[in-house]
């Protein structure tokens, strides 16, 4: 039996057919979509807008993608290829290497506006996404994490990264719209400090503490808490 390393077609993606009459390529369509995304976010990304970016009509895009949903999946897959993984798994440093992957994934996704909404809404099966998953699962298993726990952990870490990157994109959009985010959090702190003590004594007392730390510090904390819990599953 012939062994092949080619990826099988994803069931719900449009079958590719060679067409010499089409000057576009799937890669060009995806790159144009990412350019629109980076400038205008998912809200501004339409098939018509991507076609304008390419100087063509929307109908020409459908020779390469079945519609907007597939285009978004391909864009996320292309962006996921920017994630740099550690050179090799080091089981003795599994927690630190997982953190490295999480930081890198968050860096990549936050650089592309709200692209992680696509990931939150489905299961991604492209080779770039699977490469990251393969590395993380292999590292967890080598550290002694049971297989089912490793599978759940992969899902949980993905949701943690995606939701954090999406929230960061919302704050970026606020800043772009002229919102003073520092003043916003100062307002939150001041509001908590003015709460009636008989009803909310702890929140009033911790007003400064509640808003302390930037997004990176809070992301590091969430990942650390997740990994400490995961560590309790290691088979001794």
């Amino acid at each position: 039996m012939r062994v092949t390393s080619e990826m099988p077609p994803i069931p719900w993606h449009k079958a590719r057919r060679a067409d010499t009459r089409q000057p576009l390529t799937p890669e060009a369509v995806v790159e144009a979509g990412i350019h629109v995304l980076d400038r205008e976010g998912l809200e501004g990304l339409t098939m018509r807008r991507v076609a304008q970016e390419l100087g063509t009509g929307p109908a020409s895009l459908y020779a390469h993608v079945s519609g907007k949903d597939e285009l978004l999946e391909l864009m996320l897959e292309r962006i996921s290829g920017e994630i740099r993984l550690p050179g090799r798994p080091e089981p003795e440093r599994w927690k630190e290497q997982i953190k490295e992957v999480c930081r890198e994934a968050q860096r990549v996704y936050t650089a592309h506006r709200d692209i992680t909404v696509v990931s939150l809404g489905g299961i991604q099966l492209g080779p770039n996404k699977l490469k990251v998953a393969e590395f993380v699962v292999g590292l967890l298993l080598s550290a002694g994490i049971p297989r089912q726990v490793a599978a759940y952990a992969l899902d949980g870490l993905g949701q943690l990264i995606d939701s954090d990157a999406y929230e960061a994109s919302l704050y970026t959009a606020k800043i772009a719209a002229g919102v003073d985010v520092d003043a916003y959090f100062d307002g939150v702190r001041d509001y908590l400090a003015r709460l009636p003590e008989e009803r909310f004594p702890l929140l009033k007392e911790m007003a400064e503490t509640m808003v302390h730390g930037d997004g990176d510090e809070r992301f590091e904390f969430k990942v650390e808490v997740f990994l400490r819990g995961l560590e309790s599953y290691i088979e001794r």
Side-chain angles (χ1 to χ4, degrees), residues 78-93:
R78 157 65 182 78
I79 289 170
S80 297
E82 299 175 19
I83 297 173
R84 300 169 300 195
L85 297 175
R88 61 181 178 82
E90 300 176 36
E92 68 281 2
R93 294 183 60 247

Side-chain angles (χ1 to χ4, degrees), residues 76 98 108 119 152 157-159 167 212 230:
L76 177 61
I98 293 292
V108 168
S119 185
Y152 289 156
L157 283 170
Q159 290 182 359
E167 184 176 53
H212 177 76
L230 199 58

Side-chain angles (χ1 to χ4, degrees), residues 1-12:
M1 183 175 69
R2 187 170 68 91
V3 177
T4 178
S5 61
E6 292 182 5
M7 299 295 295
I10 294 176
W12 52 86

Side-chain angles (χ1 to χ4, degrees), residues 4 9-11 45 48-49 55 59 66 68 116 121 143 148 155 191 193 201 229-230 232-233:
T4 178
I10 294 176
L45 192 143
R48 182 175 298 279
R49 183 67 189 85
S66 59
K68 182 178 176 180
T116 54
Q148 187 61 71
D155 183 48
Y191 180 83
L230 199 58
S232 67
Y233 287 94

Side-chain angles (χ1 to χ4, degrees), residues 42-58:
L42 287 178
E43 186 176 352
L45 192 143
T46 64
M47 296 295 279
R48 182 175 298 279
R49 183 67 189 85
V50 174
Q52 290 175 347
E53 186 78 10
L54 291 163
T56 185

Side-chain angles (χ1 to χ4, degrees), residues 97-107 136 157 160-161 219 223 227:
Q97 285 199 313
I98 293 292
K99 289 180 183 179
E100 290 174 20
V101 174
C102 290
R103 293 185 196 113
E104 176 66 5
Q106 192 223 31
R107 179 192 68 81
V136 171
L157 283 170
L160 192 158
I161 294 166
F219 179 71
V223 174
L227 294 180

